[in-house]
Amino acid sequence: MDYLQGLNQSQKDAVVQTEGPVMIVAGAGSGKTRVITYRVAHLIQKGVDPFNILVLTFTNKAAKEMRNRITTVVGPEAKNIWMGTFHSVFAKILRVEAHKIGYPNNFTIYDTDDSKSLLKSILKEMSLDDKLYHHNYVYGRISMAKNNLISVTEYQQNEQIQADDFASGRGFIGKIYETYANRCFKAGAMDFDDLLFKTNVLLKEHPDALNKYQQKFKYLMVDEYQDTNFSQYLIVKKLAAVRENLCVVGDDAQSIYAFRGANIQNILNFQKDYPDVKVYKLEQNYRSTQNIVNVANSIIANNKNQLDKNVFSDNEEGDKIKITRSFSDNEEGKVVAESITQERGNNNLNWVDFAILYRTNAQSRSMEEALRKLNVPYKIYGGQSFYQRKEIKDLIAYFRLTFNPSDEEAFKRVINYPARGIGKTTIDKMILAADQANKTLFDIACEANQHLDNRAATAVGNFSIAIQSFAVVAKTSSAYDAALNIAQQSGLLKDLYDDKSVEGLSRYENMQELLNGIKEFSEREDIEDRGLDVFMQDVALLTNDDNDKGDNKDTVSLMTIHASKGLEFPQVYIVGLEENLFPSQMALNSRADLEEERRLFYVAVTRAEKKLHLSYATSRFRFGTLVNCEPSRFLDEIEPKYLEIEFVKKQQNNSQSFGDERSQWQSKTSKTEAQQGDFFSKPKVATSNPIKTTSLLAKAHVPSAGFAPSDTSKLQVGQDVEHERFGFGKVISLEGNKPDIKATIFFKEIGQKQLLLKFAKLRILEN
């Protein structure tokens, strides 16, 4: 029981309460991971069989860290806990139970690229406009349906869904969803969303399977519960229904994934789902200074929809939070880069102690340019995953086809790579033959002489024989030997080796690195099954966080705020704090969206341990045009006593509040260009109309009765329009091509704005 001695009272109470429903509300930096791991260790110490404990996380990285910590307390027994991501745990269950819902147990798991590739093929076959039915949009629509457990039939029969699709001009999405689902089933494949969707189907339609896992998992724990979607919520609720030994851990203030389907109501309503729940609040922040915690609290207090808690810190008070204003995004990058260099030298820090966080990936440009000019090493966090590189996906496609010849996407990817003289015409003939005979492409390849001319039949037949031979070797070989055989006999290794360009050498090295990783996997002693098929499943279930393993180099980290969740740094710079950027313009249509943006800001602030720097620019290039910007409303929500204000061009009194600074800025920007020069250097913008500065405190526009966006596909220059938030205006110019046409509009109340028509939601007024 020594492990309990290092816990504060709230943490200890949460750890020892093992029976019945429990909710642990864990503020940022409050030792959440320690509580989860010690609670599991405590269950085992009490005599609970580890095989009866299920712990669900959102990344394999988190699961690995927890398992390692539990091992230090209870020893090797920790290996027997069912612990992993939702997708990995339920993929494991489906490997056993898939036959009950009509799937082979060796089903392929499609990653996002595979799914989108299949959708592209379907859209092409259906002769649909790929701009209107963009595969990203269609994929997102289908994904959201699955996350909400809406089947193909329910999607097609739901009047509201159909009305929405037809209103957007996309009435065929239901048919695309049906075709996509049928093609996945025919290929013996499940996409990521299917792993949860099909688990729900299994538990709903097969009571024996539900009962089996209800009896098996006597204790359930869910990490980051605020990030669960409806599908995940329902699985957990079903599995815990018998004993209700369910412990959820999370922080509603860090719920930032609504765009992925996460539903904050799952944690907000947990007490309604389980009236007997015991609630424990971890409110002491061990990570950040008191000033940083106070700033975070003053921000999140503006959200109405939240659980009550009082996060505090006993750490040092720390420096005030510095807000820097620059006159352009490039100047902002320069100021941040210079500040990092100065802070590093003054405080004897390493580059890795700094992080720059931004709302959108596009903002990294000005930061990168400024860092390069000062020779500051940096890394873009969340860049392309090793497993997303073309050469890696090519070899893995061969692996997939070896174990599941029905995998259509893998088949199409490698049938003619390396080149075998099998052209598009031949592949199209095979697809047609497969559809007519209701067979897989691999079936047709094995019968090539019946469907193709002699030359094509020989090439396709040889390919099918090669795949079958790979399968024979894989059954009796280690993962490494099977992988090496496929890499060599397929011709992939030779093709990359023969490319003597710099890029070719890099790709060959990547291939060798993959084989090295498989070699290491083959020699692991902590798992029983070390076959190539198991390795493939591990790769398929990696999350973005797991893919970015980092190289441990001393570099400044650049990343979006979404990517920063779960990380911490001694010094953090949050840049681009401007209206319509952060909060995003897309988030200003509803309170729910705005509150999610505020939670995103809260997450960003709480990444900082010692120092927090906030910055914004008064002008920024957007879509090639320099536009004036105003400070984010979130800055106004911070209590001034925690802040230090700094202007790039003129140092002001540090005791000045941000509210006072905003008033000065607004009054100054309404004066002449010469007068503005006294306050800060403002870049000149060529425009036919003066741009008025918006006051955030001004009365908001009230939309006209019955306001409804018009079809803007035929919008013309000179037309009068109404925007839900900006009010009435006139179209000054239109530029770009569909679907990315930009309209420059002069609004009566706020001046000139440039909007993307596909997002603008304008009502066209009759002239």
Side-chain angles (χ1 to χ4, degrees), residues 31 104 236 247 277:
V236 170
C247 174
V277 64

Side-chain angles (χ1 to χ4, degrees), residues 13-143:
D13 291 343
V15 166
V16 300
Q17 180 58 51
T18 58
E19 306 304 308
V22 173
M23 179 165 71
I24 302 173
V25 182
S30 62
K32 170 185 67 109
T33 303
R34 173 184 288 189
V35 170
I36 295 174
T37 53
Y38 284 5
R39 192 174 188 275
V40 175
H42 191 65
L43 282 168
I44 297 173
Q45 294 284 53
K46 284 180 59 179
V48 176
D49 190 333
F51 284 101
N52 296 139
I53 300 173
L54 171 62
V55 182
L56 297 169
T57 67
F58 275 83
T59 68
N60 289 311
K61 179 181 176 183
K64 183 178 179 181
E65 179 184 353
M66 290 180 192
R67 194 185 298 275
N68 288 340
R69 290 197 191 187
I70 296 168
T71 301
T72 62
V73 179
V74 302
E77 278 290 287
K79 294 179 180 179
N80 299 326
I81 302 166
W82 278 65
M83 177 182 288
T85 65
F86 279 87
H87 294 90
S88 65
V89 167
F90 296 118
K92 185 176 178 180
I93 289 175
L94 287 171
R95 288 291 182 204
V96 177
E97 311 290 350
H99 64 281
K100 293 181 178 178
I101 55 174
Y103 277 81
N105 295 95
N106 65 336
F107 61 85
T108 295
I109 299 173
Y110 278 177
D111 65 13
T112 302
D113 286 347
D114 297 322
S115 297
K116 290 181 178 179
S117 175
L118 176 55
L119 283 171
K120 285 180 185 178
S121 298
I122 292 171
L123 293 170
K124 184 176 180 181
E125 293 163 17
M126 294 178 68
S127 301
L128 293 172
D129 184 347
D130 59 358
K131 292 181 179 178
L132 182 61
Y133 289 92
H134 194 277
H135 61 274
N136 286 334
Y137 176 87
V138 176
Y139 174 79
R141 192 77 172 160
I142 293 174
S143 177

Side-chain angles (χ1 to χ4, degrees), residues 699-740:
K699 184 178 180 181
H701 171 70
V702 179
S704 303
F707 177 91
S710 305
D711 177 6
T712 56
S713 61
K714 297 182 180 179
L715 185 68
Q716 297 179 0
V717 173
Q719 283 188 298
D720 293 325
V721 296
E722 180 186 9
H723 187 277
E724 200 168 18
R725 193 165 70 88
F726 302 145
F728 297 99
K730 184 181 290 292
V731 180
I732 297 173
S733 66
L734 297 168
E735 57 182 287
N737 300 313
K738 293 181 180 179
D740 297 317

Side-chain angles (χ1 to χ4, degrees), residues 148 225-230 232-233 255 257-258 260-269:
N148 286 285
Y225 191 67
Q226 77 279 352
D227 293 334
T228 53
N229 59 33
F230 178 64
Q232 292 162 330
Y233 162 83
S255 178
Y257 294 119
R260 293 183 187 170
N263 188 349
I264 191 174
Q265 296 303 320
N266 291 348
I267 192 168
L268 295 179
N269 293 333

Side-chain angles (χ1 to χ4, degrees), residues 524-588:
R524 284 176 58 181
E525 297 180 355
D526 59 334
I527 54 176
E528 293 182 9
D529 194 345
R530 296 187 289 272
L532 183 58
D533 54 337
V534 178
F535 175 84
M536 287 163 48
Q537 176 166 308
D538 287 350
V539 169
L541 291 170
L542 286 173
T543 65
N544 289 336
D545 289 337
D546 302 311
N547 287 334
D548 198 328
K549 296 183 182 303
D551 47 21
N552 297 318
K553 290 184 179 178
D554 188 18
T555 58
V556 174
S557 297
L558 276 67
M559 67 191 78
T560 64
I561 300 169
H562 280 101
S564 75
K565 189 167 179 290
L567 303 176
E568 55 190 51
F569 303 89
Q571 296 209 25
V572 169
Y573 291 75
I574 307 174
V575 301
L577 278 159
E578 300 139 30
E579 281 293 292
N580 298 322
L581 181 56
F582 195 15
S584 165
Q585 182 176 351
M586 299 297 293
L588 300 179

Side-chain angles (χ1 to χ4, degrees), residues 660-732:
D660 293 339
E661 187 273 326
R662 177 188 291 278
S663 299
Q664 271 197 20
W665 177 73
Q666 289 171 342
S667 65
K668 292 287 185 180
T669 50
S670 64
K671 297 183 179 180
T672 65
E673 191 80 16
Q675 289 173 312
Q676 288 173 342
D678 294 335
F679 190 60
F680 68 97
S681 297
K682 177 177 177 294
K684 296 182 179 180
V685 184
T687 175
S688 58
N689 293 286
I691 299 178
K692 296 171 65 177
T693 301
T694 307
S695 169
L696 293 179
L697 303 178
K699 184 178 180 181
H701 171 70
V702 179
S704 303
F707 177 91
S710 305
D711 177 6
T712 56
S713 61
K714 297 182 180 179
L715 185 68
Q716 297 179 0
V717 173
Q719 283 188 298
D720 293 325
V721 296
E722 180 186 9
H723 187 277
E724 200 168 18
R725 193 165 70 88
F726 302 145
F728 297 99
K730 184 181 290 292
V731 180
I732 297 173

